[in-house]
Amino acid sequence: MENVLRPVIVVGGSVLLTLAIGWATDRLLRKADGRDHDSPLWELLRRASVPYQLVLCAALLRGSYDQAKVLERHQTGIGRTLTLVLIGSAAWLVIRIAAAVVETTYSRYARMHRDAARVRRVRTQVELIMRVVSAIVIVVAIASMLLTFPAMRTAGASLLASAGIIAAIAGVAAQSTLSNMFAGLQIAFGDMVRIGDTVVVDGEWGTVEEITLTFLTVRTWDERRITMPVSYFTSKPFENWSRGTPQMTGTVFWHLDHSAPVEAMREKLRDILRESPAWDGRAYSLVITDSTPSTVQVRALMTAKDADDIWTVRVAVREQMITWLAQEHPYALPRVNTSEAVLPPQRLPSPDGAPLGKDHDFSRIGRS
């Protein structure tokens, strides 16, 4: 009877104690969250309840398993399995706690600062810091798991002796990966590009959606995703429309007939911009910038508070101006001349046989 009750008490007691401690901890975190609604820390810590209870249960079972007297022939294997579970769940818990602390710090910073560019920069740094922390914790956890095996401990001396050679080989083999990792850190703390920035890369306009230690994802206006190595942004030029102030100046071009009513177009541009909520009211203009034998190039200039609004203003001005010209001034639209060409006057001989000059009065020919 004792052989049956002992494992039930040990295992069941460990599980019940884990559930009780987890419930009490959750109640305390819920009360703390109720007192401090502005901080997301307590709610984020509550999401770590699964790894927290897993750590408690694995620790209790690992400490009390010897007293259970169950499967004694497999005691070593079961004990090592519980140790591996304990190490893995502890690493999971550390990552969750670190994420909660970092996210809380970022939330407070975002509430205190209204500068969107600075907030995006901090967000980028926070994302990369969390990836570095997670990578370090995972590597340490895997190393700790491997060291639980006696064969790995025995091979430790030889591994350390050959660490220099292995590091050199790995450095050569993973040169591009390491360069991308350092480039990712340079981007995060050098403030070159941030999550949410509007960029133009290889002729593609889009928004930076994700930055990791090795790659960067740009979401284009048509919802495509362009994934590029972060080293690209440290070695090649690119346009960052969100760098500095987000205000932008946009242009619209038309090719029109020489008779286009430029002054009336200026007044129409002013009316269009006044009705557009995306125009920030800073500046506008309309001038002729070029001419060809058949058309003139007219440029409209307008301003907006950011890249999205400047796009909205440009398409609205382009569409409404073309519609207005077609309805009110159709003669101003470019035309293709289809009339017969005017021939130059023919050179007729003079009465004395000499050729006539270009200034000769042909009206006198044939008069008596």
Side-chain angles (χ1 to χ4, degrees):
M1 187 68 178
E2 182 180 356
N3 294 333
V4 177
L5 290 177
R6 180 174 297 183
V8 172
I9 293 174
V10 171
V11 177
S14 299
V15 174
L16 291 177
L17 186 59
T18 298
L19 294 177
I21 296 175
W23 177 82
T25 304
D26 185 73
R27 293 283 297 178
L28 292 175
L29 292 176
R30 186 175 298 178
K31 289 183 179 180
D33 186 39
R35 297 192 195 98
D36 188 8
H37 293 287
D38 296 333
S39 176
L41 176 63
W42 312 113
E43 180 63 28
L44 293 173
L45 288 177
R46 288 184 62 196
R47 297 178 184 178
S49 60
V50 174
Y52 174 66
Q53 294 184 15
L54 192 58
V55 168
L56 289 177
C57 188
L60 292 173
L61 289 176
R62 184 67 184 88
S64 60
Y65 174 73
D66 294 338
Q67 305 298 325
K69 305 296 182 180
V70 179
L71 300 175
E72 293 181 336
R73 289 182 299 178
H74 304 283
Q75 184 174 1
T76 303
I78 294 176
R80 184 174 293 120
T81 301
L82 291 174
T83 302
L84 295 177
V85 173
L86 178 61
I87 294 173
S89 58
W92 187 9
L93 180 61
V94 170
I95 293 174
R96 283 294 184 89
I97 293 175
V101 174
V102 171
E103 185 67 24
T104 301
T105 305
Y106 166 74
S107 299
R108 290 177 179 175
Y109 183 88
R111 288 197 302 268
M112 294 173 59
H113 296 80
R114 300 298 180 184
D115 189 352
R118 294 180 61 184
V119 172
R120 289 200 304 270
R121 180 184 62 187
V122 173
R123 183 64 182 178
T124 302
Q125 295 174 353
V126 164
E127 291 280 348
L128 291 177
I129 289 173
M130 272 308 306
R131 293 180 186 278
V132 172
V133 170
S134 300
I136 293 174
V137 172
I138 291 173
V139 169
V140 172
I142 292 175
S144 302
M145 290 179 178
L146 293 176
L147 291 176
T148 59
F149 297 91
M152 296 301 299
R153 289 197 299 267
T154 304
S158 59
L159 289 175
L160 290 175
S162 59
I165 300 176
I166 294 175
I169 295 174
V172 174
Q175 184 177 3
S176 60
T177 303
L178 292 175
S179 64
N180 281 328
M181 292 181 63
F182 286 114
L185 295 175
Q186 184 179 354
I187 286 176
F189 297 97
D191 197 24
M192 299 173 60
V193 62
R194 300 152 297 197
I195 295 175
D197 281 4
T198 302
V199 297
V200 178
V201 181
D202 283 344
E204 295 285 352
W205 180 89
T207 304
V208 178
E209 187 177 53
E210 183 182 9
I211 300 178
T212 69
L213 289 176
T214 56
F215 66 89
L216 184 147
T217 303
V218 177
R219 186 183 73 249
T220 61
W221 64 273
D222 54 355
E223 298 185 354
R224 290 180 292 118
R225 265 67 175 179
I226 301 177
T227 301
M228 309 183 69
V230 291
S231 59
Y232 175 93
F233 293 86
T234 58
S235 60
K236 296 183 180 180
F238 65 95
E239 296 182 28
N240 189 342
W241 291 9
S242 302
R243 183 77 176 181
T245 60
Q247 296 174 342
M248 297 195 67
T249 300
T251 57
V252 177
F253 291 90
W254 298 279
H255 292 275
L256 304 175
D257 190 78
H258 289 83
S259 59
V262 178
E263 190 60 37
M265 290 179 65
R266 290 192 181 99
E267 297 178 0
K268 182 61 179 179
L269 175 63
R270 179 193 60 197
D271 296 339
I272 294 173
L273 293 176
R274 286 178 176 177
E275 295 176 358
S276 175
W279 181 53
D280 62 0
R282 287 190 295 125
Y284 77 94
S285 68
L286 189 142
V287 294
I288 295 178
T289 57
D290 197 4
S291 63
T292 67
S294 58
T295 61
V296 292
Q297 185 184 66
V298 180
R299 186 199 69 184
L301 182 146
M302 67 289 298
T303 60
K305 65 181 180 64
D306 54 30
D308 293 335
D309 281 356
I310 199 63
W311 173 263
T312 303
V313 174
R314 290 175 63 196
V315 296
V317 168
R318 185 182 295 111
E319 177 182 351
Q320 295 183 39
M321 186 67 75
I322 289 293
T323 303
W324 176 75
L325 288 173
Q327 294 176 353
E328 303 294 335
H329 304 279
Y331 61 88
L333 299 178
R335 293 171 291 175
V336 178
N337 294 325
T338 58
S339 60
E340 296 181 359
V342 179
L343 298 177
Q346 297 181 358
R347 294 178 177 270
L348 299 178
S350 62
D352 56 0
L356 299 178
K358 61 179 180 179
D359 295 331
H360 186 81
D361 189 359
F362 291 92
S363 61
R364 297 180 178 178
I365 298 177
R367 292 183 182 177
S368 56

